[in-house]
Amino acid sequence: MARKISIKQAINEAIDQEMSRDPSVIMLGEDIVGGAGGEGEMDAWGGVLGVTKGLYAKHGDRLLDTPLSESAYVGAAIGAASCGMRPIAELMFIDFMGVCFDQIFNQAAKFKYMFGGKAETPVVIRAMVGAGFRAAAQHSQMLTPIFTHIPGLKVVCPSTPYDTKGMLIQAIRDNDPVIFCEHKNLYALEGDVPEGSYTVPFGEANVVREGKHVSIVTYGLMVHRSLEAAATLAKEGVEVEIVDLRSLSPLDMDTVLDSVTKTGRLVCVDEASPRCNIATDISAQVAMQAFGALKAQIEMVSPPHVPVPFSPTLEDLYIPSAAQIADAVRRTLAKGKQ
Amino acid sequence: MAGITPIVMPKWGLSMKEGTVTAWLVDEGDDISVGLPILEVETDKIANAVEAPDPGTLRRKVAGEGELLPVKALLGVMAEADVSDADIDAYIASYVTPSADEEEGEAGPAYLWAEVDGLRIRYARRGAEQGTPVLFVHGFGGDLDNWLFNIDAVGEELPVIALDLPGHGQSTVRLPGASIAALADFVARFLDVIDVDRVHVVGHSMGGAIASQLALAHPQRVVSLSLIASAGLGGEINSGYTEGFAKAASRRDLKPVLEQLFNDASLVSRQMIDDVLKYKRLDGVEALLLELGGKLFAGGRQAEQPGLELESTGKPVLVVWGTDDKIVPAAHAANAPPGATVERFAGAGHMVQMEKAGDVNRLLKQHVGA
């Protein structure tokens, strides 16, 4: 049966159920149990925000606290995956991926291709993404486009508790490396989630709101900002359709194209830096594949091309707001064919 | 107030909290007979017409088109000609929409759970306090919400029970056996557990075959049978549908499959597809449906046809079909046992209990003697 739980609980439940179902599922990360080398309570931490708390009591040493070396334990997880385990590596913040790019880009993403399809790398690398947490420039980035750029990686970024649980279970069962992006400012969001295990397939976008005037294509926290904007616009008589991509690689362009063909107007909203991000990718593909359907030029809403500011006032201005999204929708409605 | 009949926002299914009035189908001053569609209401799950509960004249439209209103909100007022406008104004002014929370407080939790032979079974039990209960059994891949337009209407007269069969809805994803006989025996065990002795059984599609088998194997439990677009009354079945339903993994694949269920394909809403996908994505559901469909409907033939043996039971039988049924041929209605009441509806498909809810509800009420 379904009941309301938070995204944080949904992550914990997905890992718990998969560890119970499949003994090859293990987990590595910093402070995911009690802190490496610590002498205190083993389940003290459960990760930097307590996401894995309680799992050590059930699954014991299948959860490994690691030294503060992302390059070491992400590499270890990838190696274990290529030897038959299904490891989940947790990085506190996606910003720390920089030190393990060789392991991820050159090893995990390439094994299947370079070994003629004989090698599988069923690793999941979970990391918190996004700004708004007052965590400054090195802990706040939305680095999704860096990973969608690399063939061989799957990249997902769910926006609801239901999708989070189903996509994390799918990620663990998937035979390819998956970068699983969790928006830290959505951890407390609650929604209906079935108690049993289920999977949400990758490569299928979700139309979270139907409308006929303008399509917004987005993912993550921006889905919720777009819903806010849509509620404001509905009072002005504008019916916005919102496509939550949720899976960024593979990407469901069919759903995007169906929506744009229906509305003729597109606003791409992305919390990632504006150059070469998911919004530019979607708009390029729509311009190529559905140019004839467009009634006006495509609008994009992204943060400015600057590091995420530490000043709370500036950080709030940095993150695209519902008001900015609504303005972009109004701009596209004011232009082009009526 | 004497002579005044309120038209209120209906409650279709246990999860419905509000609905949008999409269109009025009659005008103020029109004379209305019972069952005439008065206005159309849309929820996030489905759209349907609200029908007149009593005859009378529509005196006032209270809700405007496009208005989103809670369940039981006043939508319009019907009254005889001798009721004054002032009385109607006073009635509207004093109408208070009953709060949904209070109502649920009185009726207890929306869904109940029973442990039957190690399986956790979700069911709803509501309606009148007195009388022989009416048990609703859904079809292949369905759940108790397939009865959202029916159980409250029948529940006005008799107690109503609707369950999620094993492997369906929110019940445990495991079958007591992949046969109509095993499922019928399980339904009898379910009645044991919830301490119900005899029921009027209403079955839709595969649920109709289960109802028929229940009447054959456990005749003492069954007072009457209502078979809606029922399996078990003939050989053919559209196994392309059952296989397509079991295998469809995405919204894109599932939508055309679900559209086969209706005469009006536009009734298949985004929310309906999402709800079915959420069920189908649960671990084990696809394999279970493939096994069940493979055993019951392989190659487009129904393996068990208990409906053909119902004459021997002597039970009153009602058979209802939509003439545009694309899953089980409406021609099977001709195989109803002698003496059965048989009704066919044009403009309805396999989900005739949804597409012709008002008509089907009237037939059900008549048949169960309510």
Side-chain angles (χ1 to χ4, degrees), chain B residues 32-37 49-55 136 149-157 226 228 318 320 341 343 345 352-353 355-370:
Chain B
I32 290 164
S33 54
V34 174
L36 186 85
V50 176
E51 300 181 351
D54 292 305
F136 290 85
F149 296 138
N150 314 106
I151 64 169
D152 289 315
V154 176
E156 287 168 10
E157 316 283 346
S226 300
I228 300 174
L318 167 69
V320 178
T341 309
E343 294 280 348
F345 293 103
V352 58
Q353 82 277 28
E355 289 188 284
K356 294 286 172 199
D359 293 315
V360 171
N361 290 343
R362 265 188 298 285
L363 288 169
L364 288 176
K365 285 187 191 179
Q366 269 168 23
H367 188 66
V368 299

Side-chain angles (χ1 to χ4, degrees), chain A residues 1 162 173 197-199 201 204 206-207 210 254-255 258, chain B residues 113 120 170 249-252 270 274 277-278 281-283:
Chain A
M1 75 177 286
Y162 175 83
R173 296 180 189 177
S197 300
Y198 61 92
T199 54
E204 192 191 355
N206 188 22
V207 180
E210 287 181 308
D254 289 342
T255 296
D258 282 353
Chain B
W113 298 86
R120 197 158 172 258
Q170 293 187 21
S250 67
R251 179 180 295 143
R252 200 169 287 277
R270 190 175 59 90
D274 272 1
L277 275 179
K278 280 185 178 170
R281 283 174 177 157
L282 292 170
D283 274 5

Side-chain angles (χ1 to χ4, degrees), chain A residues 79-145:
Chain A
S82 64
C83 294
M85 304 302 281
R86 291 192 176 268
I88 305 162
E90 177 185 297
L91 272 78
M92 289 181 174
F93 300 97
I94 201 165
D95 315 63
F96 304 161
M97 289 273 198
V99 293
C100 18
F101 275 4
D102 184 67
Q103 288 86 333
I104 297 170
F105 294 173
N106 281 330
Q107 311 304 328
K110 304 291 192 288
F111 285 162
K112 185 183 261 183
Y113 177 73
M114 293 183 72
F115 295 119
K118 289 179 187 164
E120 308 269 27
T121 315
V123 67
V124 182
I125 304 176
R126 294 177 38 236
M128 284 194 280
V129 295
F133 205 64
R134 311 302 186 228
Q138 297 162 319
H139 308 81
S140 303
Q141 297 170 86
M142 177 57 88
L143 294 180
T144 43

Side-chain angles (χ1 to χ4, degrees), chain B:
Chain B
M1 197 172 294
I4 290 184
T5 304
I7 303 162
V8 300
M9 179 62 74
K11 184 169 171 65
W12 292 327
L14 298 173
S15 61
M16 179 171 167
K17 300 267 184 283
E18 56 189 18
T20 303
V21 176
T22 47
W24 278 95
L25 305 173
V26 292
D27 287 316
E28 287 180 3
D30 285 359
D31 287 328
I32 290 164
S33 54
V34 174
L36 186 85
I38 307 175
L39 74 170
E40 281 178 358
V41 165
E42 190 176 271
T43 72
D44 55 3
K45 283 192 200 297
I46 197 148
N48 202 355
V50 176
E51 300 181 351
D54 292 305
T57 304
L58 181 68
R59 295 287 295 275
R60 201 69 56 80
K61 295 178 183 177
V62 178
E65 290 182 3
E67 253 190 279
L68 177 69
L69 293 163
V71 166
K72 299 228 164 132
L74 188 65
L75 305 179
V77 174
M78 284 169 38
E80 296 303 330
D82 57 1
V83 178
S84 73
D85 280 347
D87 281 352
I88 288 173
D89 288 338
Y91 182 86
I92 293 170
S94 65
Y95 185 88
V96 179
T97 304
S99 117
D101 288 337
E102 276 174 33
E103 176 126 313
E104 269 165 23
E106 283 168 28
Y111 294 119
L112 302 166
W113 298 86
E115 185 90 13
V116 184
D117 298 343
L119 305 183
R120 197 158 172 258
I121 298 299
R122 181 180 74 150
Y123 68 105
R125 187 172 186 175
R126 44 211 262 133
E129 310 245 316
Q130 298 295 319
T132 304
V134 182
L135 173 71
F136 290 85
V137 185
H138 63 76
F140 179 85
D143 65 26
L144 55 81
D145 271 339
N146 293 163
W147 305 108
L148 83 171
F149 296 138
N150 314 106
I151 64 169
D152 289 315
V154 176
E156 287 168 10
E157 316 283 346
L158 287 174
V160 285
I161 301 164
L163 82 160
D164 285 346
L165 288 167
H168 288 74
Q170 293 187 21
S171 292
T172 305
V173 186
R174 201 163 77 233
L175 290 171
S179 66
I180 297 294
L183 288 167
D185 288 343
F186 183 88
V187 170
R189 288 280 303 125
F190 165 74
L191 292 175
D192 291 341
V193 169
I194 65 166
D195 202 18
V196 170
D197 188 20
R198 287 153 57 81
V199 288
H200 297 280
V201 194
V202 182
H204 174 244
S205 194
M206 179 186 80
I210 294 169
S212 302
Q213 179 62 29
L214 187 69
L216 293 171
H218 306 273
Q220 73 285 2
R221 309 303 289 265
V222 177
V223 180
S224 77
L225 283 160
S226 300
L227 307 178
I228 300 174
S230 184
L233 280 167
E236 306 84 1
I237 189 161
N238 178 356
S239 54
Y241 167 80
T242 52
E243 275 169 40
F245 182 89
K247 287 180 181 164
S250 67
R251 179 180 295 143
R252 200 169 287 277
D253 293 340
L254 186 60
K255 188 166 187 248
V257 175
L258 293 183
E259 284 175 349
Q260 294 181 59
L261 291 171
F262 296 89
N263 170 264
D264 176 4
S266 72
L267 287 173
V268 177
S269 65
R270 190 175 59 90
Q271 188 64 45
M272 187 189 296
I273 299 170
D274 272 1
D275 287 348
V276 173
L277 275 179
K278 280 185 178 170
Y279 155 65
K280 281 180 36 61
R281 283 174 177 157
L282 292 170
D283 274 5
V285 165
E286 181 180 331
L288 179 147
L289 290 175
L290 285 172
E291 186 200 357
L292 186 60
K295 291 271 170 58
L296 298 183
F297 311 129
R301 299 292 301 176
Q302 300 187 38
E304 294 165 75
Q305 297 164 25
L308 301 179
E309 299 162 39
L310 286 175
E311 186 180 1
S312 65
T313 67
K315 309 280 183 198
V317 177
L318 167 69
V319 171
V320 178
W321 236 291
T323 57
D324 186 31
D325 194 322
K326 301 175 195 74
I327 313 299
V328 184
H332 289 187
N335 301 338
T341 309
V342 179
E343 294 280 348
R344 297 175 184 83
F345 293 103
H350 192 58
M351 303 305 278
V352 58
Q353 82 277 28
M354 295 175 112
E355 289 188 284
K356 294 286 172 199
D359 293 315
V360 171
N361 290 343
R362 265 188 298 285
L363 288 169
L364 288 176
K365 285 187 191 179
Q366 269 168 23
H367 188 66
V368 299

Side-chain angles (χ1 to χ4, degrees), chain A residues 281-297:
Chain A
D281 183 25
I282 297 289
S283 62
Q285 295 202 50
V286 169
M288 279 173 61
Q289 298 178 52
F291 188 75
L294 289 170
K295 296 175 189 160
Q297 59 265 57

